[in-house]
């Protein structure tokens, strides 16, 4: 028997996928109607959280944040079955993940943080990626269950909280990419270049192909052998800012990048590879 707490878009589709695989799932949500809506596909909904987790061997969570996870687990704990395994798919802080692992172990239960790079459709189709770290014996025992839920399980070793950190790093990259795309669309608009023409550029040229080499260059600190000198990158950034100004457009990312470029140029690094702006982060 499984229980699932948190029937947002992700949690609801996880439950639908489990039921499609023939599993029995008890569900709960703070707004009861969201859990009750899943009864039409075979889930058993409960208004009381303690009833939802009663007799469950595994409890899954997809909630908002650390505070919500702590609150929900505390309210449900009086009905936990001895030996229950708690699998938390919520994006949380590293500290919260570590503390819950310790706390629930001390209380006689097993907590495993399993954040995901999965959207609702991935949850329904059992595709995407799940991240996990911590007790390797435990992970090995539950891996078959996790593999049923996702296309890939990525194990980051025995350090509790590592999966939480990796999830935040991944989400940071997604935010950075979206912010960069936002500036790119804004700059295109300032230059009277259509969204369709911009898309055609990336249909023909994929900047993501340079990512592995750039990551290697930055992580290796190889700034003395430039493929694009910082001074030249700064010149191009200046052209971009001039076009944005002419089009009466504000950019959210580029001004901060330019400030970093100017700082490194002032220190005498204009001839180095432009990726030197990442040096202090290493």
């Amino acid at each position: 028997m499984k229980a699932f707490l948190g029937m947002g878009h992700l949690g609801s589709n996880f439950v639908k996928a489990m039921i499609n695989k023939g599993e029995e799932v008890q569900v709960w949500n703070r707004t009861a109607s969201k859990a009750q809506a899943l009864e039409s596909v075979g889930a058993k909904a409960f208004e009381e959280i303690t009833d939802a987790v009663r007799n469950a061997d595994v409890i899954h969570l997809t909630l908002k944040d650390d505070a919500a996870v702590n609150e929900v687990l505390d309210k449900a704990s009086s009905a936990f079955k001895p030996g229950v395994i708690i699998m938390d798919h919520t994006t949380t802080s590293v500290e919260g993940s570590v503390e819950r692992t310790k706390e629930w172990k001390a209380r006689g239960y097993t907590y495993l943080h399993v954040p995901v790079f999965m959207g609702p459709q991935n949850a329904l189709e059992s595709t995407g990626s799940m991240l996990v770290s911590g007790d390797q014996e435990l992970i090995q025992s539950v891996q078959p269950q996790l593999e049923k839920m996702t296309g890939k399980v990525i194990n980051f070793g025995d350090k509790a909280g590592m999966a939480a950190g990796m999830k935040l790093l991944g989400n940071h990259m997604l935010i950075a990419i979206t912010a960069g795309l936002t500036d790119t669309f804004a700059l295109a608009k300032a230059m009277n270049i259509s969204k369709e023409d911009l898309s055609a550029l990336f249909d023909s040229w994929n900047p993501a192909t340079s990512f592995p080499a750039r990551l290697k260059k930055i992580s290796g600190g190889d700034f003395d052998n430039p493929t694009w000198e910082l001074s030249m990158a700064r010149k191009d950034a200046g052209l971009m800012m001039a076009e944005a100004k002419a089009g009466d457009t504000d950019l959210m990312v580029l001004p901060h990048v330019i400030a970093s470029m100017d700082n490194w140029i002032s220190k005498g690094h204009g001839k180095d590879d432009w990726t030197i702006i990442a040096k202090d982060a290493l």
Side-chain angles (χ1 to χ4, degrees), residues 2 16 29 35 65 91 142 145 186 194 211-212 249 257 271 273:
K2 293 184 176 180
K16 291 174 184 176
N29 193 76
D65 53 23
T91 300
V142 301
Q145 297 182 54
S194 71
F211 186 86
T249 298
V257 176
K271 296 294 184 181
D273 192 85

Side-chain angles (χ1 to χ4, degrees), residues 36-93:
Q36 292 163 356
L38 290 167
E39 291 188 318
S40 63
V41 298
K44 190 171 183 180
F46 293 88
E47 291 191 13
E48 297 296 330
I49 193 170
T50 49
D51 293 332
V53 301
R54 203 178 309 279
N55 298 319
D57 301 299
V58 179
I59 300 170
H60 293 269
L61 310 173
T62 52
L63 300 170
K64 180 182 179 181
D65 53 23
D66 287 285
V69 172
N70 291 337
E71 179 186 357
V72 165
L73 289 178
D74 188 58
K75 287 182 177 179
S77 61
S78 64
F80 282 174
K81 180 179 179 179
V84 71
I85 298 175
I86 303 162
M87 294 191 188
D88 183 9
H89 307 291
T90 308
T91 300
T92 70
S93 67

Side-chain angles (χ1 to χ4, degrees), residues 17-234:
M18 288 175 176
I19 291 171
N20 288 340
K21 294 179 176 71
E23 298 185 56
E24 186 177 356
V25 189
Q26 300 179 166
V27 298
W28 172 89
N29 193 76
R30 196 182 304 272
T31 302
S33 60
K34 290 186 177 181
Q36 292 163 356
L38 290 167
E39 291 188 318
S40 63
V41 298
K44 190 171 183 180
F46 293 88
E47 291 191 13
E48 297 296 330
I49 193 170
T50 49
D51 293 332
V53 301
R54 203 178 309 279
N55 298 319
D57 301 299
V58 179
I59 300 170
H60 293 269
L61 310 173
T62 52
L63 300 170
K64 180 182 179 181
D65 53 23
D66 287 285
V69 172
N70 291 337
E71 179 186 357
V72 165
L73 289 178
D74 188 58
K75 287 182 177 179
S77 61
S78 64
F80 282 174
K81 180 179 179 179
V84 71
I85 298 175
I86 303 162
M87 294 191 188
D88 183 9
H89 307 291
T90 308
T91 300
T92 70
S93 67
V94 174
E95 181 182 7
S97 175
V98 172
E99 288 303 313
R100 278 185 292 276
T101 302
K102 293 178 181 178
E103 177 186 350
W104 289 103
K105 182 177 181 179
R107 294 171 68 168
Y109 303 104
T110 300
Y111 171 91
L112 185 64
H113 191 210
V114 196
V116 302
F117 289 125
M118 299 172 69
Q121 192 63 30
N122 296 118
L124 186 62
E125 297 172 350
S126 302
T127 58
S129 298
M130 279 191 173
L131 318 181
V132 66
S133 66
D135 184 330
Q136 293 298 295
E137 185 175 346
L138 168 63
I139 291 170
Q140 185 176 4
S141 71
V142 301
Q143 181 133 349
Q145 297 182 54
L146 298 178
E147 288 174 344
K148 288 181 181 180
M149 298 175 68
T150 185
K152 181 187 292 185
V153 177
I154 308 174
N155 188 339
F156 289 103
D158 59 6
K159 185 178 179 181
M162 182 64 76
M166 290 297 187
K167 167 64 174 177
L168 293 178
L169 289 173
N171 278 7
H172 178 272
M173 179 57 69
L174 294 176
I175 290 171
I177 290 170
T178 300
L181 283 171
T182 300
D183 267 10
T184 302
F185 276 111
L187 182 58
K189 184 177 181 180
M191 296 188 294
N192 295 314
I193 295 174
S194 71
K195 293 178 290 185
E196 292 74 21
D197 286 338
L198 176 60
S199 295
L201 167 64
F202 294 120
D203 285 341
S204 302
W205 171 69
N206 182 6
T209 58
S210 68
F211 186 86
R214 189 152 296 161
L215 180 64
K216 183 177 180 180
K217 192 175 190 68
I218 292 173
S219 62
D222 182 20
F223 307 121
D224 296 332
N225 300 296
T227 57
W228 192 18
E229 288 185 1
L230 176 59
S231 60
M232 294 301 293
R234 175 62 179 87

